[in-house]
Amino acid sequence: MRKCCLETQISGHCPTGCKNKFKFLGSEIEENCIADLKMEAFLRDKVTFRVGISAFYESNPRILEKFLWESKDSQELISYFLYISEPEQVKEIIESFSNHTLSYLFKTDFFNFQNVKDSTKRDKSIKHIFHVRSYRYWTFIDVKRICGLIQYFVHELKEPEYACQFIVILPSEVAANLRSYTTLTTEEEKSLYTALGDSIYELPIQSPKIYDHMLQLFADEMEIFLILSTMEELIRRQEKILDTSAKLIEYTKSHQIVMNIQFIFSELNGLDIGIASEILNQLLDSKMISLSQRALVLDFLQTGNLDILKPLRNDLLGR
């Protein structure tokens, strides 16, 4: 009969930090840990939610992975806990899982995402699985771990249609040099992109810095290359929008609003008004500026009237 090292009962929650405290015991703690019994009891409504989720957080990932494969209910419970947790809380757990388990979890998530997407077609904001809050934890996984999973999907499972979904969350420099991080061949890398179907042409819009790599990769694929070639102006425009938005977001995090408005204007002044407007939309979506501040800067850019800043400055200074 297994016995918790801290002598907690199945009905008792696991103390915070338990798994870190007993790491030095290695396999001994796994042999005696009852976290899986607590999660099983939660499935049967025998213990409270606090007990169940504390067992999830404090269990060694190897125990969790073993529990996950015990039943369909176990798999659904692990997924549920992943969905409701902050990504930072489950990062270590996910990165410790095998590629076999990760591939199962992602395929399940993607299937559910497709169903949600099909039922909410009018919601234009849901463009990708990683835009859904429940699946954000995938974006926190170490880049090398993601590359290993991509390789597993392609080499072992022959399922590039799942592997290709991760391209959008890879840093551009990694995506453009994927063969340096994996053992994929040129043809296998092509299969990743083509598995996206028509979405292949949306990818460089979402991640403009991989555009040049895509042109090079598909130089001998005439149809794809020609379509990509016609997109250059659009891609360069989008790259300007994203780069400038990132710079402004970083700046606004550490400066007062008057300084922000002046800095934003200095960065946007001289740009095409359409590009400037889209950059302001990015700042609005990131909650860096308000609707009224967006209107203020846009009016500022269109009229060049510096006096419009005075009411804002005086209001902030209490004059």
Side-chain angles (χ1 to χ4, degrees), residues 90 108 124 149 161 173 176 192 199 258 260 291 294 297 300:
V90 298
T108 300
K124 301 299 183 181
L149 183 57
E161 64 272 22
E173 61 273 16
L192 279 181
S199 295
V258 172
N260 289 346
L291 273 170
R294 177 190 178 280
V297 176
F300 197 3

Side-chain angles (χ1 to χ4, degrees), residues 240 244 247-248 262-271:
K240 179 68 174 178
T244 305
K247 179 179 180 180
L248 292 174
Q262 293 173 331
F263 183 73
I264 290 170
F265 172 75
S266 69
E267 289 295 310
L268 301 187
N269 191 27
L271 291 181

Side-chain angles (χ1 to χ4, degrees), residues 204-230:
I205 297 175
Q206 297 174 34
S207 186
K209 285 183 169 46
I210 66 172
Y211 176 67
D212 291 334
H213 175 66
M214 291 180 68
L215 282 176
Q216 183 180 13
L217 186 64
F218 289 100
D220 58 350
E221 302 284 343
M222 193 57 63
E223 181 180 350
I224 296 177
F225 181 79
L226 285 176
I227 295 176
L228 286 173
S229 297
T230 64

Side-chain angles (χ1 to χ4, degrees), residues 88-237:
E88 297 90 343
Q89 289 179 289
V90 298
K91 174 179 166 64
E92 181 183 356
I93 294 172
I94 287 295
E95 290 180 351
S96 298
F97 282 168
S98 66
N99 283 326
H100 173 61
T101 297
L102 286 183
S103 62
Y104 166 79
L105 288 172
F106 184 74
K107 287 197 284 187
T108 300
D109 286 354
F110 193 69
F111 176 78
N112 292 334
F113 165 72
Q114 292 289 69
N115 287 338
V116 170
K117 188 177 180 182
D118 289 343
S119 64
T120 57
K121 287 183 177 179
R122 293 183 180 181
D123 189 348
K124 301 299 183 181
S125 66
I126 303 178
K127 297 179 180 179
H128 206 281
I129 182 172
F130 307 114
H131 289 163
V132 180
R133 189 185 185 284
S134 297
Y135 308 132
R136 281 195 311 127
Y137 67 91
W138 290 105
T139 67
F140 282 70
I141 300 177
D142 180 77
V143 168
K144 291 182 179 178
R145 194 72 184 83
I146 290 291
C147 289
L149 183 57
I150 289 174
Q151 183 172 299
Y152 181 78
F153 268 122
V154 176
H155 281 325
E156 304 297 326
L157 302 184
K158 312 299 182 186
E159 295 176 330
E161 64 272 22
Y162 294 108
C164 67
Q165 305 303 319
F166 290 100
I167 298 177
V168 72
I169 64 172
L170 287 176
S172 298
E173 61 273 16
V174 175
N177 294 280
L178 194 56
R179 275 171 280 151
S180 298
Y181 294 85
T182 66
T183 60
L184 297 182
T185 65
T186 299
E187 291 305 313
E188 286 173 333
E189 187 180 9
K190 284 183 180 179
S191 75
L192 279 181
Y193 288 90
T194 54
L196 288 167
D198 290 341
S199 295
I200 188 176
Y201 304 111
E202 297 176 13
L203 186 60
I205 297 175
Q206 297 174 34
S207 186
K209 285 183 169 46
I210 66 172
Y211 176 67
D212 291 334
H213 175 66
M214 291 180 68
L215 282 176
Q216 183 180 13
L217 186 64
F218 289 100
D220 58 350
E221 302 284 343
M222 193 57 63
E223 181 180 350
I224 296 177
F225 181 79
L226 285 176
I227 295 176
L228 286 173
S229 297
T230 64
M231 297 173 63
E232 182 167 6
E233 184 176 346
L234 172 63
I235 300 303
R236 302 306 180 199
R237 181 178 187 274

